[in-house]
Amino acid sequence: MPRGPAPGTPRLSEPLRQERRRILHAVHDRIEEVAETAVEVMRAEIPSYALQDERFFGDVREQVLEHYRMQLAALVGDRDIAPEDLVFSRAAAMRRARAGFALEDWISAFRVGRQVLWDALLHCAGTSAEAQQAALSLVTPLMRYVDYASTHAAQAYVEYQQHVVADADRERRDLLDQLLIGVAPTRGPLSAAAQAYGIGPRSPMMAVVAVCVGDTRTGDLTSAENGYATSASISVAGPWAGRTLVVVRHGEVVAVPVVRAGMNAEDICAHFEAVQRRLAREGTMLSMGISTVAQGASELPRAHAEARAALDLVPSGGGVAALPRLSPFDYLALRADDLARQLVDCRVRALLEEDRRRGDTLAATIRAFAEADLNLRLAADRLRIHHNTAHYRLRRIEERTGRNPRRIADLLELLVALAIRDGAGEGEDDQ
């Protein structure tokens, strides 16, 4: 860091210089009292400081005194401030960052210290015109010192946080790599990290894999911003307490949420679906695959493979494929290839495509009839239509397709064709 600006003010008359020295010496004589006032104001105005003990405030008091003595000595001698003069402040910044204090709290402490010192200078200056002019000549050098010292401290904060972030990323990646071979760590730092995420050898958990498929802000699907934005959004607590292990890895984001007490797989699915929708509104389109529940770390490799396979079920425009929400029937229909689609009778395919263009009333009737266990009156009630209307729709389906929905085999064929149509339609529409 370059040498700081000289805190003195040039071209002052000798009477003004003498008046400045008088004010500075007067403040120096009561410097411990001024520092104590600054500490009390910090305790009152900075919430995170108010929660600390007396040992902490002893350290703060020493820091304030060091800064005040340095400023007063520099102002009296009109000398430059060098980086080596602020080694004590850099060390204190590291301590605050390590203790978890936010940078804005540290900067607020500088602001309070500056204001209290300025009040003391005005008080010691008195009310004469010459004293007031001498005091005003101190404003610029005081501001320069605070800017220089706070910038120096902020650099220390940023350097420490960069190391913390890098170490945390490395630890998360190492933990995930071990879990993906089916082993939960039982000792050392990785064990502690796993416990922080609620992960144990037999903890029920799921795997979520997300990839970016569209970005209206940058147009760059491979940017680190996408991965870290997704990671940060997923890490926010959902309907459960505790953190979620999230890692940006090989161009994708992998999350391992634990199914905690009082939760089920649907809670996990709903949370990640909400994350996907929120990011989509902000311009980042994601495809997400969500696995079934793994009963312990030994099953997590299988869950991770499931989540990656589920990505193939997501339309090209992004969305969420959650395996816990799918029946085997749904899964097989969504996995249908071109050959399966060709095996659907052309009459069935034509009717279903025409029905989709007209509002899907026949498709709704097929589904309702199946869900009502072939009870036509119950299906009509659920559709809120007259049972004669429902009867007419079934007859029309049979006339157009040659399949009688009242026969189990024919109804099953219609349901499969409908599921294949919907699965293909989602991909084409880029939903």
Side-chain angles (χ1 to χ4, degrees):
M1 187 172 183
R3 185 173 294 273
T9 302
R11 297 189 182 90
L12 288 178
S13 65
E14 186 56 31
L16 279 181
R17 285 184 177 277
Q18 291 180 2
E19 192 63 19
R20 269 176 51 137
R21 283 195 291 270
R22 179 191 69 78
I23 296 170
L24 294 171
H25 283 301
V27 173
H28 186 273
D29 289 343
R30 48 176 296 199
I31 195 67
E32 292 194 5
E33 177 188 340
V34 177
E36 187 63 39
T37 299
V39 171
E40 291 305 313
V41 175
M42 291 175 194
R43 189 198 297 259
E45 293 189 2
I46 305 175
S48 61
Y49 277 37
L51 302 174
Q52 306 308 310
D53 57 19
E54 288 306 315
R55 181 178 178 181
F56 169 81
F57 284 109
D59 183 28
V60 173
R61 191 175 294 106
E62 288 301 317
Q63 291 300 308
V64 174
L65 279 170
E66 286 276 1
H67 279 291
Y68 282 175
R69 286 166 179 156
M70 179 169 295
Q71 289 179 78
L72 294 176
L75 287 166
V76 169
D78 269 358
R79 70 177 182 84
D80 290 351
I81 301 297
E84 53 268 25
D85 294 327
L86 295 170
V87 171
F88 73 94
S89 181
R90 182 181 181 85
M94 288 287 192
R95 290 197 297 275
R96 301 292 180 268
R98 191 178 301 115
F101 287 92
L103 177 58
E104 54 264 32
D105 291 340
W106 177 248
I107 299 302
S108 292
F110 267 97
R111 175 187 59 77
V112 169
R114 177 201 65 204
Q115 184 61 51
V116 171
L117 180 60
W118 174 244
D119 290 342
L121 288 167
L122 287 180
H123 179 77
C124 291
T127 57
S128 70
E130 192 171 63
Q132 291 290 304
Q133 187 176 355
L136 286 175
S137 72
L138 294 169
V139 172
T140 297
L142 280 176
M143 291 296 294
R144 286 177 178 171
Y145 176 87
V146 171
D147 287 345
Y148 185 68
S150 60
T151 299
H152 196 79
Q155 286 183 343
Y157 249 82
V158 171
E159 289 172 11
Y160 177 82
Q161 290 172 343
Q162 286 174 337
H163 286 301
V164 168
V165 168
D167 288 345
D169 280 348
R170 187 161 45 248
E171 182 179 70
R172 285 193 296 270
R173 285 195 300 271
D174 290 346
L175 174 57
L176 180 63
D177 287 343
Q178 182 159 341
L179 290 172
L180 290 183
I181 62 173
V183 178
T186 57
R187 60 173 64 90
L190 287 187
S191 177
Q195 291 176 17
Y197 294 109
I199 297 173
R202 287 178 289 279
S203 300
M205 48 192 142
M206 298 165 70
V208 181
V209 176
V211 295
C212 182
V213 295
D215 191 330
T216 60
R217 298 169 302 170
T218 67
D220 182 4
L221 307 187
T222 62
S223 70
E225 179 185 352
N226 289 316
Y228 285 105
T230 304
S231 174
S233 295
I234 292 173
S235 298
V236 175
W240 59 86
R243 298 185 296 164
T244 298
L245 174 63
V246 186
V247 178
V248 181
R249 180 178 184 267
H250 305 321
E252 61 188 24
V253 177
V254 180
V256 183
V258 174
V259 185
R260 303 174 190 272
M263 294 171 51
N264 56 37
E266 175 55 29
D267 294 325
I268 302 287
C269 296
H271 172 63
F272 283 91
E273 188 173 52
V275 169
Q276 193 274 342
R277 288 176 175 170
R278 182 170 68 251
L279 288 174
R281 289 194 297 270
E282 295 169 359
T284 300
M285 298 301 302
L286 298 176
S287 288
M288 280 189 180
I290 305 178
S291 75
T292 60
V293 177
Q295 297 299 333
S298 63
E299 294 187 9
L300 194 62
R302 182 264 301 163
H304 179 248
E306 287 181 0
R308 298 200 71 187
L311 286 175
D312 294 337
L313 308 179
V314 181
S316 59
V320 178
L323 296 184
R325 291 176 169 177
L326 300 180
S327 67
F329 178 89
D330 295 329
Y331 178 77
L332 291 173
L334 288 170
R335 298 286 292 181
D337 56 15
D338 289 339
L339 176 57
R341 296 185 185 95
Q342 288 301 316
L343 291 175
V344 176
D345 187 292
C346 61
R347 293 175 296 172
V348 174
R349 190 163 59 241
L351 175 68
L352 294 181
E353 289 300 332
E354 177 186 319
D355 183 52
R356 176 156 58 183
R357 291 192 295 270
R358 293 185 174 182
D360 261 352
T361 56
L362 298 182
T365 304
I366 292 170
R367 291 195 182 99
F369 190 52
E371 291 168 1
D373 296 328
L374 281 64
N375 185 324
L376 184 59
R377 188 172 293 276
L378 178 58
D381 290 342
R382 290 177 177 176
L383 291 171
R384 297 183 179 179
I385 60 176
H386 194 276
H387 71 275
N388 287 338
T389 303
H391 179 76
Y392 166 76
R393 290 180 182 178
L394 293 188
R395 188 172 66 250
R396 185 178 173 207
I397 291 168
E398 183 177 4
E399 291 171 352
R400 292 284 304 276
T401 66
R403 270 70 178 176
N404 181 359
R406 292 182 173 83
R407 294 182 63 245
I408 295 297
D410 286 357
L411 178 60
L412 183 59
E413 184 177 346
L414 290 169
L415 289 170
V416 169
L418 185 56
I420 290 175
R421 183 208 70 169
D422 290 347
E426 286 182 357
E428 292 165 2
D429 294 341
D430 288 343
Q431 290 180 356

